[in-house]
Amino acid sequence: MRLLHLSDIHFRSPDCETLATDRNHPYRTLLAQDAVELCREGGPVDAILVGGDIAYKGEPGEYRVARAWLLGLAHQCGCSPEGIYVVPGNHDIDRGVCAKSLTISVAQDAIAKASDDERESMLKRQLADATLGQALFQPLAAYNEFAAGFDCSVYPELPFWTDEVELDRGVRLRLFGLTSTLISGLGGRDDGPGRLYLGRLQTVLNPEQDVVNLVLCHHPPLWFSDRDDTDDNINDRAKLQFFGHEHRQRCTPTPTYMRFQAGAVNPDVYERDWKPGYNLLDISVRGEGLDRTLDVRAFVRHFQKAPEMFVALKPDRFQEVWTHSMPLPHLPPLGEAAARVEPIAPYPATAVAVAIHAAAAIAVPAEPKPEATMQGPSPRNLIFRFWDLSIAERRDIMLKLDLIDVAELRVPEPELYKKAFKLAATRGLLADLASEIERVENSH
């Protein structure tokens, strides 16, 4: 499987809305050209991981440009639109919304000012409160509208997202998109390490056999007040880790995990160590049984001037590609006794994903993509197409299928429709949902 990792694109309005005068546009173009050139030799990209700070001020216009650019990049790299995954960064927070709302300030301060041993329970209380929970996500409203089309929106009931795809040799890749910005935007908490909060509920990351956990998060653990707990949980449970924010291109292989920090796609031109960057990596499973390994080949790319181009950040003097292997043993069951043990229930998100995949496979046949690992029908494709419809069309479809009711229309759309898709899966209505989407598409 081939992954493209980007972070800190910083689409900034009004500059980004006029490409002819956007001084960051050439660097995005050169990045796309470099990635496409690598794909000519190694094959298309299966997933694009975008590690936050997509926008600069969290404004809707910035996300319109970001969406168009990301879809264009995906097309050039041979990646389907549903292969795009995003998480929010501190620049995806609308600080104007934060400044105008006392409720947001109260909700964030309650978490930030709680004692270390009470902060987790305080976070859960804020998320469970109908008013305060929504307030924590209100500054991400424009981001959530953008992210919903990629099935990556977040809300109080589920402040992070998960997805799962087949990797190789019976191994599944489980992706976790963490939200590191729950208390961003006020109190100077974005200005230095150790002042934000992630929380244990986002780092459960159950380490199942035959599953490789991948974490995508904007802020590295150093930026959280619970940094030690976060760092330990992620390092122990996630073999693949992707961070942004610091605008420093880094690749850190260890015996049990590999951590990537993306240089910003568009760092501030006045930064002392200004150097755009990105990562492209191939992951595969090799061997059998106890000798099985997770193998990584990574192209760590950064920008050089005169002449302008992206070049390799080398692991040593003689190589341009980072290679690393981590143990991924498969432990066989313990004979007859194992057969009598009640199996552990599957990861909660997986049950829904399986139901969606099964229905979507019948309802939404997709063009095969022989070169890529992620093939065939995808629930994310259905969601992507749904969000391409108008507000009225989306509402009418969901009301017609009784997946929402009129009283729920006050709930933010990304939250409302994410729950509606899950409800459609449990009711076996995804084929009907797909038919309705296709009917509306054909009427355009």
Side-chain angles (χ1 to χ4, degrees), residues 20 24 38 41 67 93 138 173 201 235 287 301-304 331 350 359 404 436:
N24 286 324
L38 291 174
E41 299 179 4
R67 185 178 188 276
I93 293 287
Q138 191 178 344
L173 181 68
L201 63 89
N235 290 343
R301 310 290 285 180
H302 64 173
F303 192 75
Q304 75 164 32
L331 303 175
T350 305
I404 61 172
E436 287 297 317

Side-chain angles (χ1 to χ4, degrees), residues 358-390:
I362 300 171
V364 195
E367 288 281 325
K369 184 180 165 190
E371 304 87 355
T373 306
M374 294 183 186
Q375 299 178 15
S378 165
R380 297 172 62 82
N381 175 268
L382 194 60
I383 291 168
F384 178 81
R385 291 163 55 200
F386 175 79
W387 280 95
D388 259 354
L389 306 179
S390 71

Side-chain angles (χ1 to χ4, degrees), residues 23 33 35 47 69 83 95 129 141 150 152 157 161 172 186 195 220 222 294 321 346 422 424:
R23 64 186 181 187
Q33 291 172 354
W69 184 77
R95 293 170 191 271
D129 184 273
F150 304 115
C152 293
E157 262 183 63
W161 55 257
R172 292 164 288 155
L186 291 169
R195 304 190 64 189
L222 180 66
L294 178 70
V321 180
K422 290 182 179 180

Side-chain angles (χ1 to χ4, degrees), residues 321-332:
V321 180
W322 297 65
T323 58
H324 189 53
S325 294
M326 294 167 279
L328 188 65
H330 176 82
L331 303 175

Side-chain angles (χ1 to χ4, degrees), residues 383-429:
I383 291 168
F384 178 81
R385 291 163 55 200
F386 175 79
W387 280 95
D388 259 354
L389 306 179
S390 71
I391 293 174
E393 289 166 342
R394 294 195 295 261
R395 180 197 61 215
D396 291 347
I397 287 174
M398 290 301 186
L399 287 171
K400 180 178 180 179
L401 295 177
D402 198 28
L403 294 171
I404 61 172
D405 59 50
V406 175
E408 292 178 300
L409 292 177
R410 66 182 184 277
V411 177
E413 273 197 305
E415 177 181 350
L416 177 64
Y417 293 140
K418 195 161 191 172
K419 292 178 179 178
F421 265 89
K422 290 182 179 180
L423 183 59
T426 59
R427 289 182 178 176
L429 293 176

Side-chain angles (χ1 to χ4, degrees), residues 58 93-102 104 135 138-141 186:
I93 293 287
D94 187 332
R95 293 170 191 271
V97 170
C98 292
K100 294 174 184 176
S101 172
L102 180 60
I104 295 173
Q138 191 178 344
L140 285 173
L186 291 169

